[in-house]
Amino acid sequence: MANWRFEKGLHDLGNGCYAYLQPDGTWGWSNAGLIVDSGQSLLVDTLFNLPLTAEMLAVMRRSVPEAKHIETLVNTHANGDHTFGNQLVEGAQIISAQGCYDDIARRPPEVFVEMLKNWRQLGEAGAFMHEVMGSRFNFDGIVCTLPTKTFTGTLDLKVGNKDVHLVDVGPAHTNGDVLIHVPADRTVYTGDILFVGGHPAIWVGPVANWIRACDLILSWDIETVVPGHGPISDKSSVRELKNYLEYMTIETRKRYDAGMTSEEAGYDIALGAFDDWSDRERIVLNTYALYREFSGDTSRPDAMTMFGQMARYHKFHQAQCAHDHKNGHHDHCVP
């Protein structure tokens, strides 16, 4: 949206809704939100580490009186860039989908941090994780802080006199993905159901659920969409992501039926309209998710296997870009 600049910090959406943005929106650089009314406040997500979360909370408290005491924190899903700062929101009730709680309990932050500390022992997968996350963020002091209230389906809340509706649309990106809809303000906070300008990461699926989540957002009377990553937008970005998911489903199915491996399919699919999106290595994660969906495989993907595949694709794309730069053709080269 032309009205919103993709700049770090707190953005006033009007009527007591705020977005906190972190460019460039790639691995780990997530967004958060704040909803206030009549002296009460609800925080949407924390950030990837304690310093970033502390900085965000300080900015919110300086700018918005209601943020001095946050009564409620909603985690949109379990990924660390939306939950690792939970311990700093002292005294708040932490709400999530049951699937989010289960994901955090299954793989608490201490496990992730230990993996990043030992990245040299984890081969190409560890090197890639270190490159895109471990070398950019300080994970010292993070303690597992689980949600204190969970739900399935829907949950209606009040922030002051403002109605806030939570909808669990997972499993999709993760096992528990929550949309936070503020009808009176025509605003929705999507968590990682929406990436703007970047390839989504389909860790769990099914993709059909994610497409249904996009349709649900599009059915609402909203004008402002705060994604989990990327700039503030509107329904146009939701349509773009839905188009991506549908395109990937069709193109991946062709290659599944042709007998390719999921990794081969990722290299073979032309990105077309999505060629300038960041984090393109996630295409092999996404083809793998679709292959599981097509075959009826309900097992959990092994994260290190997937980071290994993404590492190989990332190297392949870097080499391709270097070749294209040498020959003067580099318009499509993005991180």
Side-chain angles (χ1 to χ4, degrees):
M1 293 174 66
N3 295 343
W4 303 106
R5 296 176 65 87
F6 192 25
E7 296 177 344
K8 180 181 176 180
L10 192 65
H11 298 254
D12 187 347
L13 309 179
N15 303 316
C17 287
Y18 298 84
Y20 189 88
L21 304 183
Q22 291 195 111
D24 58 359
T26 57
W27 290 99
W29 296 111
S30 58
N31 300 330
L34 179 69
I35 303 166
V36 304
D37 188 70
S38 303
Q40 294 186 340
S41 58
L42 180 152
L43 179 67
V44 178
D45 284 334
T46 55
L47 303 179
F48 209 8
N49 64 17
L50 301 185
L52 290 172
T53 302
E55 179 186 11
M56 174 183 75
L57 292 172
V59 169
M60 289 178 171
R61 287 164 179 158
R62 284 198 302 269
S63 305
V64 185
E66 294 93 335
K68 286 182 170 56
H69 175 68
I70 294 171
E71 290 85 6
T72 305
L73 163 63
V74 177
N75 287 144
T76 58
H77 63 289
N79 286 358
D81 50 349
H82 299 260
T83 61
F84 279 4
N86 280 5
Q87 70 200 71
L88 296 184
V89 193
E90 296 177 8
Q93 180 181 55
I94 306 175
I95 301 175
S96 78
Q98 182 63 47
C100 170
Y101 179 99
D102 294 343
D103 279 349
I104 298 173
R106 186 182 300 113
R107 193 183 184 202
E110 292 87 346
V111 172
F112 175 83
V113 173
E114 190 66 22
M115 287 172 61
L116 284 178
K117 284 182 180 176
N118 298 316
W119 65 270
R120 290 181 180 85
Q121 302 169 27
L122 299 174
E124 60 187 355
F128 182 65
M129 289 180 67
H130 174 73
E131 178 183 345
V132 298
M133 289 181 286
S135 63
R136 301 176 185 180
F137 301 94
N138 174 0
F139 296 106
D140 291 347
I142 295 169
V143 176
C144 183
T145 306
L146 287 160
T148 56
K149 177 183 176 67
T150 64
F151 73 100
T152 58
T154 61
L155 180 66
D156 294 338
L157 302 175
K158 285 277 192 182
V159 177
N161 296 311
K162 194 187 297 285
D163 290 319
V164 178
H165 301 311
L166 310 186
V167 184
D168 177 12
V169 293
H173 170 61
T174 64
N175 281 300
D177 299 298
V178 171
L179 303 175
I180 299 167
H181 182 204
V182 190
D185 300 331
R186 303 180 70 200
T187 297
V188 62
Y189 299 84
T190 67
D192 283 3
I193 287 297
L194 182 61
F195 292 72
V196 177
H199 288 262
I202 308 170
W203 286 112
V204 177
V207 176
N209 259 10
W210 202 324
I211 292 171
R212 281 192 288 272
C214 291
D215 283 334
L216 179 62
I217 297 170
L218 293 171
S219 75
W220 289 338
D221 178 21
I222 54 171
E223 61 180 16
T224 306
V225 179
V226 181
H229 294 260
I232 299 164
S233 190
D234 54 21
K235 284 185 176 181
S236 64
S237 292
V238 182
R239 292 189 191 97
E240 284 181 1
L241 186 72
K242 180 186 174 184
N243 289 342
Y244 172 91
L245 295 171
E246 291 175 336
Y247 173 79
M248 285 295 297
T249 301
I250 292 167
E251 293 301 313
T252 304
R253 184 73 207 207
K254 292 176 186 175
R255 290 153 180 83
Y256 175 85
D257 291 340
M260 288 185 181
T261 68
S262 64
E263 191 169 4
E264 289 169 342
Y267 286 76
D268 195 56
I269 292 173
L271 291 175
F274 316 108
D275 196 50
D276 62 346
W277 285 13
S278 65
D279 302 318
R280 62 192 294 138
E281 64 276 357
R282 292 174 184 163
I283 192 171
V284 291
L285 174 67
N286 298 343
T287 53
Y288 183 73
L290 282 158
Y291 269 52
R292 295 202 322 277
E293 191 171 334
F294 298 151
S295 67
D297 180 0
T298 58
S299 64
R300 293 179 58 83
D302 178 70
M304 296 313 296
T305 298
M306 298 320 303
F307 270 106
Q309 289 193 15
M310 287 189 282
R312 289 192 290 275
Y313 187 97
H314 185 65
K315 283 183 181 177
F316 162 79
H317 178 62
Q318 284 184 319
Q320 187 180 52
C321 281
H323 176 270
D324 289 349
H325 270 276
K326 186 177 179 181
N327 291 282
H329 305 294
H330 49 79
D331 292 344
H332 70 286
C333 292
V334 294

